[in-house]
Amino acid sequence: MLAYMIRRLLFVIPTLLGIMVINFVIVQAAPGGPVEQMIAQIQGRGSEATARVSGSAQGDTAAPSSANTTSQPSSSDGSSRYRGARGLDPEFIKELERLYGFDKPPGERFILMLRNYAMFDFGKSFFRDRPVIDLVIEKLPVSISIGVWTTLLVYLISIPLGIAKAVRDGSRFDMWTSAVIVVGYAVPSFLFAILLVVLFAGGSFFSWFPLRGLVSEGWRAMPWSTLVLDYLWHMVLPVTALVIGGFAGLTMLTKNSFLEEINKNYVVTARAKGLDERRVLFGHVFRNAMIIVIAGFPSAFIGILFTGALLIEIIFSLDGLGLLGYEAALGRDYPVMFGTLYFFTLLGLIMGIVRDVTYVMVDPRIDFESRET
């Protein structure tokens, strides 16, 4: 197992590199980059935005004296390839390109990014004027809180419910719970979130739960016991919305996996030997049935952490990593985009290794040493 884990860890490097190449190519091909974004702001705000760019550039090189928004454009320079650049001084466009690193060819920019990432330097946000690593560290606790609590509760609810449905297959309990599962599967999590806000967060009925942030204002002055309760109180509605919208698929997967194992010959043999039903289910069936359920854990966690929690973060004003990446994509804030993609990719690869370790914990008969990665 140790040799296999070492191979998997080494395999993370080329996998991460390949995903970064794909992300870089796709992002670079997308229209409306940061230079276009700043040009649009300049054309809309005039001298105020121009002064902002000039001030930002002074850290490396003084801003060009010809950065005048009313200068004549030149069709022979690079400014003509930017939408909305008409009327801007070509030298000012070149200063924008230098400011955002677009004065270098794409290949050189990618190699420079890899070198900086190897030294844990993820750059500085184009529009937030803060290092990317500081933004990620600031937002990560919110996303981790949502992802961990939701995944934990989804598994704690879905696995026992799926087992109960498999044991009582075709019963009234199975039919009623299936109806609830169909509703949970059909309705998106953000609609449940809106319903919970209307009912319990000061909408039209009750105002029992907070609607903003991970903790209340002044949380630094709270004793730790009060702070923990306050944190959990803020997590109730967003986590509930995600759990209601996320437990359906895992419940049915658990049920079908158990039904498949229950009908196999080794279960019939175990029952024929006089073993009680509880020992048959949890001593024999559980180990085999849980393998396919565990296989979906990394993707479930990553899905909840980013795609599933994005709208929840917006609805409940939770400033997390998913919302940071989404806003960076809209604003073409490339350092933040690549930084968040890098962290999500790395987390996904690590979760894949955690999945394999859990495989062995559930079923020691699995031998990864005999397999090629």
Side-chain angles (χ1 to χ4, degrees), residues 69-234:
T69 59
T70 61
S71 299
Q72 293 294 326
S74 174
S75 59
S76 61
D77 57 60
S79 65
S80 60
R81 71 175 181 266
Y82 297 114
R83 181 183 302 176
R86 183 177 300 275
L88 294 179
D89 184 2
E91 291 299 322
F92 181 67
I93 299 299
K94 291 180 180 179
E95 180 63 29
L96 281 177
E97 291 178 335
R98 189 201 64 79
L99 181 63
Y100 295 123
F102 284 84
D103 56 332
K104 304 178 181 66
E108 185 178 346
R109 296 203 305 270
F110 181 71
I111 296 299
L112 180 61
M113 184 180 72
L114 290 182
R115 188 179 67 183
N116 291 335
Y117 276 31
M119 297 183 293
F120 300 99
D121 179 10
F122 298 96
K124 193 174 182 179
S125 170
F126 285 160
F127 305 113
R128 294 174 181 258
D129 197 30
R130 292 183 61 189
V132 173
I133 188 65
D134 291 348
L135 289 172
V136 170
I137 293 175
E138 179 183 325
K139 313 298 182 184
L140 196 58
V142 175
S143 297
I144 291 293
S145 295
I146 296 174
V148 168
W149 285 114
T150 302
T151 306
L152 180 63
L153 290 175
V154 164
Y155 271 76
L156 288 177
I157 294 173
S158 299
I159 292 177
L161 181 58
I163 295 173
K165 286 175 64 62
V167 173
R168 300 173 177 83
D169 185 40
S171 66
R172 184 173 297 179
F173 170 81
D174 183 36
M175 291 186 290
W176 279 107
T177 52
S178 295
V180 174
I181 288 172
V182 168
V183 174
Y185 186 81
V187 181
S189 297
F190 73 89
L191 289 182
F192 283 120
I194 294 173
L195 177 62
L196 292 174
V197 169
V198 172
L199 292 178
F200 304 114
S204 302
F205 296 90
F206 306 101
S207 184
W208 293 347
F209 295 94
L211 188 57
R212 180 180 296 276
L214 194 64
V215 290
S216 300
E217 294 183 4
W219 61 273
R220 295 182 183 275
M222 296 180 182
W224 69 268
S225 56
T226 305
L227 178 59
V228 170
L229 292 176
D230 181 73
Y231 161 76
L232 294 175
W233 200 241
H234 279 76

Side-chain angles (χ1 to χ4, degrees), residues 278-307:
R278 184 178 183 85
R279 186 174 179 183
V280 170
L281 287 177
F282 295 100
H284 294 76
V285 176
F286 183 84
R287 178 177 297 175
N288 296 320
M290 282 297 99
I291 294 177
I292 189 173
V293 177
I294 292 171
F297 176 79
S299 59
F301 180 76
I302 296 298
I304 291 171
L305 191 64
F306 184 61
T307 56

Side-chain angles (χ1 to χ4, degrees), residues 233-273:
W233 200 241
H234 279 76
M235 284 286 98
V236 169
L237 292 188
V239 170
T240 300
L242 286 171
V243 169
I244 293 175
F247 83 101
L250 184 60
T251 300
M252 296 307 299
L253 178 64
T254 304
K255 176 190 174 182
N256 294 333
S257 180
F258 262 79
L259 283 177
E260 182 180 355
E261 294 295 325
I262 286 174
N263 295 324
K264 289 185 177 180
N265 291 332
Y266 75 90
V267 177
V268 177
T269 303
R271 287 171 173 168
K273 290 181 178 180

